[in-house]
Every structure is written in structure tokens, then in C-alpha cells.
Amino acid sequence: MPELFDNHNRRIDYLRVSITDKCNLRCIYCMPKEGLSDFKKHRDILTYEEIELFVSHAIKQGISKVRLTGGEPLVRRDVVDLIRSLSGIPELHDMSLTTNGVLLADFAEELYKAGLERINVSIDSLNSEKFKQITRVGDLNIVKKGIQKALDVGFKPLKINAVILKGINDGLSDLKDFAKLTFDYPLHVRFIEYMPFSKEVGFKAGLTCSEIAEKLKTFGSLNKVDSPRGSGPARYMKFKGALGTVGFISPMSNHFCPECNRLRLTADGKLKTCLFSNDEIDIIGPMRNNHPEEAVKEVLSRALKEKPKDHSSALKKDFVRTMSQIGG
Ligand code: SAM
Ligand code: SF4
């Protein structure tokens, strides 16, 4: 199998693909309540054929893991068809999807049958009112049904992503709900530090992973455990007797740049080498105007040269894109 290495000798084998910048929620830390003024038109985003072409050529070069994300990936029409055709690529070893879970009860079975292996569901509060406050329009019960359905059809491991915000969902009762979830279900609850991508926020700040871990210790001792499959930079711990685990992803307080193995393809066809950098390499133009395989090869080789060693300099700038426009 071919392997890709960047200029800092990191092996790059993971591609995140955002398939839409649109979303059916409006999380306060991610998107303004009226949505984005510059949601992309259909003609300006990669078609499914172009995504498949990019992914299959990238796999030939050395990518072996792909995560589909957005915006909300399940709002794009015929997403199951995309998953079915990507899962037919023999060298693709791991395909996963990140979703807000709103449409999961409807889609879980089809997604599983189409060959999707793993799902991460984002859910920032297990309290209905707070969930509504954070997502502005979300209904917690619908997302819970989606999670149950995903467990029932066999998605394993099933991971939950939560961003903890000061004064919003950082109370002991909020964290106790997440801890309890790991006692009651074989779920892996991962706390992701808030990253300041957007200006419009409405809360003070995010909690660091050490602050969250300190609070969690109130509910029992936590022991380090091995990571479930496909865990990237998360560190995992478990309460004694729990079925699931808690994980910590700390992009702000503890950078994991030396282990970074990923590239990101945005819905509008730009390749990003670093989540925190405004730099991006156009792929939609070259793919539409030139020989697509050559275009992918050239863009990947440029990305490997340009991928920064770390994000320390990028963090000082204003961000051009929010997380929903990059693909989280
Ligand atoms: N809509 C899907 C969802 O919410 O899971 C997929 C896209 S969303 C951008 C992916 C992940 O990014 C979610 O877990 C979300 O909580 C996280 N996220 C979005 N904005 C963030 C930010 N500013 N800081 C940290 N995480 C963020
Ligand atoms: Fe939508 Fe996900 Fe952003 Fe929430 S975090 S607004 S669900 S893209």
C-alpha cells in the first residue's frame, strides 16, 4: 500500500470530507441563528461523483480512513448512495460519519446497510431545555431516539461528542448526566474543547479538558483505558463499573499537532491542511478543468509540502471559516 508523508515526516492517512455547509441546527458556538449569509449554492459544492473521484484517487495515494461530516451530512439528499459507493472502494479501511443525530433514527439502518462502520453523534446536553438553548432549534428526544436506533442496528463503537461551555452546560448536574450515560450504555462520551472559530457566541468560553475531568471526578474515580477504534487524538478514561468511557480532546490546551495525520476537504472543494489555518488549496477548479486524477495528485502533493508543523501561528489570526464551513 502506498503511504503519504508530509514535510514534517508525519504519516497522513485520514481525510475528513464535508459534504455540505448546511445544517438543521444552529448551535450557538457554531452557526448564527439565521444561518450563514453565504451558504453555498449546489453548483458550487463538489458533486457526489467528484467526492468519490477525489476519495478514490486519494486512497490510491495512501489515504485509508475517511470521515464524512458537514454542516450536517444527513441533510444532503441521497447521502446513503454516497456511502454505498464509497464503501465499495476495497482499500478504504475505515469510513465513519459525524452527525447531530436529528435524522439518525430515520437513517441509521440504511446507513449501516450501505456499509458505514462508525458514527459520532454530537450532543451537548442531556437536559431538554439546555439542549434547545445550545442548538436553538433542536429536540433532545429526537436525537436520543437516533442514538438508540444506531445502537440497535449495531454501530460500534458509538461515540458522543460534547462541547462544554462556561455558564451553559458546565454544571455538576450537566456533567453527571454524561457520566451516567457511560454507566447505562456502551457509549464513548468525548469532551471536545471549544475552539473560537466564530465571533457571534453568546457565552464566555469553553472549559478545558482538565477542568472537565476535575468535575467528573466528583462522580467516581476515573481510570485510563485503551481507546476504542478510530480514536485519533482523544485520551480515554472509565468510571469503575461503567459500560462506556469518557474521552478528552484538547485542541486548545494540549495541541496534538505532532501526531496530526489528517487533511480536510470542504464541501466547496478546498483542501485544508490544518483546521486552524486559513490557507486552503482549491481542488474544485482543477478537478473540473483538468484531468481529475492528475489534479488530485498535484493537490495532495502540494498539501503534503504545505501542511504546517503546528498551529501556533495560525491561532493568532481571525478565522475565515466557521467549523460548519470547514467540516468538524
Ligand atoms: N453537524 C454535525 C455535528 O454537529 O456533529 C457535524 C459537523 S459539526 C461542525 C462537527 C463537530 O464539531 C461537532 O461535534 C461540533 O460540536 C463540533 N464543533 C463545531 N464548532 C465547534 C467549535 N467552535 N469548537 C469545538 N467544536 C466545535
Ligand atoms: Fe450544525 Fe453541527 Fe454546527 Fe451544530 S455543530 S450548528 S449541528 S454543523
Side-chain angles (χ1 to χ4, degrees), residues 16 22-25 27 29-30 68-73 98-101 120-124 161-163 192-198 251 322-325 327-328:
R16 289 212 174 181
K22 303 207 171 58
C23 188
N24 45 5
L25 297 183
C27 302
Y29 56 83
C30 182
L68 300 182
T69 180
E72 171 50 37
T98 303
T99 173
N100 59 29
N120 291 5
V121 185
S122 307
I123 183 165
D124 299 317
N161 290 346
V163 176
I192 305 176
E193 286 176 349
Y194 165 70
M195 297 171 269
F197 283 109
S198 53
T322 62
M323 196 69 154
S324 65
Q325 294 169 303

Side-chain angles (χ1 to χ4, degrees), residues 135-323:
T135 60
R136 291 197 181 101
V137 290
D139 179 339
L140 179 65
N141 276 329
I142 292 178
V143 178
K144 278 186 174 169
K145 280 186 190 142
I147 294 174
Q148 187 60 59
K149 183 79 185 185
L151 283 172
D152 293 345
V153 301
F155 281 108
K156 202 175 167 207
L158 189 55
K159 297 178 191 161
I160 303 294
N161 290 346
V163 176
I164 304 298
L165 306 169
K166 274 197 181 131
I168 305 242
N169 58 347
D170 64 337
L172 280 182
S173 70
D174 301 292
L175 292 168
K176 191 174 183 182
D177 288 344
F178 284 117
K180 186 170 178 323
L181 200 62
T182 72
F183 279 98
D184 297 343
Y185 296 91
L187 292 170
H188 305 281
V189 177
R190 296 126 43 92
F191 297 101
I192 305 176
E193 286 176 349
Y194 165 70
M195 297 171 269
F197 283 109
S198 53
K199 290 204 180 76
E200 200 246 9
V201 281
F203 54 89
K204 285 190 216 101
L207 259 68
T208 63
C209 282
S210 358
E211 288 169 329
I212 298 167
E214 245 349 274
K215 292 194 179 208
L216 286 173
K217 283 182 194 154
T218 325
F219 316 119
S221 61
L222 279 168
N223 298 311
K224 273 194 187 148
V225 285
D226 288 343
S227 306
R229 188 174 150 218
S231 289
R235 290 177 295 114
Y236 284 86
M237 305 191 95
K238 191 172 182 171
F239 288 107
K240 196 165 176 228
L243 298 172
T245 63
V246 289
F248 300 94
I249 305 180
S250 46
M252 300 303 289
S253 65
N254 181 18
H255 302 174
F256 32 76
C257 305
E259 289 92 52
C260 187
N261 63 345
R262 63 192 60 179
L263 296 173
R264 291 182 151 84
L265 182 62
T266 65
D268 59 340
K270 313 286 175 212
L271 195 62
K272 287 187 73 75
T273 57
C274 173
L275 177 61
F276 290 103
S277 166
N278 288 329
D279 294 344
E280 48 194 41
I281 308 173
D282 183 38
I283 179 71
I284 197 165
M287 273 184 94
R288 287 183 182 175
N289 300 326
N290 306 321
H291 190 273
E293 186 156 4
E294 283 309 309
V296 177
K297 237 189 212 167
E298 269 170 39
V299 164
L300 278 175
S301 128
R302 199 178 136 194
L304 296 174
K305 280 191 202 113
E306 292 179 10
K307 188 169 165 65
K309 189 166 179 233
D310 57 48
H311 60 227
S312 48
S313 60
L315 267 177
K316 295 184 188 102
K317 297 178 199 139
D318 277 350
F319 296 107
V320 170
R321 289 176 185 259
T322 62
M323 196 69 154

Side-chain angles (χ1 to χ4, degrees), residues 38-70:
D38 56 348
F39 277 133
K40 297 291 170 199
K41 301 235 169 22
H42 195 69
R43 64 168 183 271
D44 297 325
I45 61 170
L46 291 169
T47 64
Y48 282 163
E49 289 71 25
E50 286 166 337
I51 293 174
E52 282 160 37
L53 255 173
F54 186 93
V55 171
S56 57
H57 291 321
I59 287 172
K60 279 189 203 155
Q61 307 280 308
I63 294 292
S64 58
K65 293 176 262 184
V66 170
R67 171 174 295 279
L68 300 182
T69 180

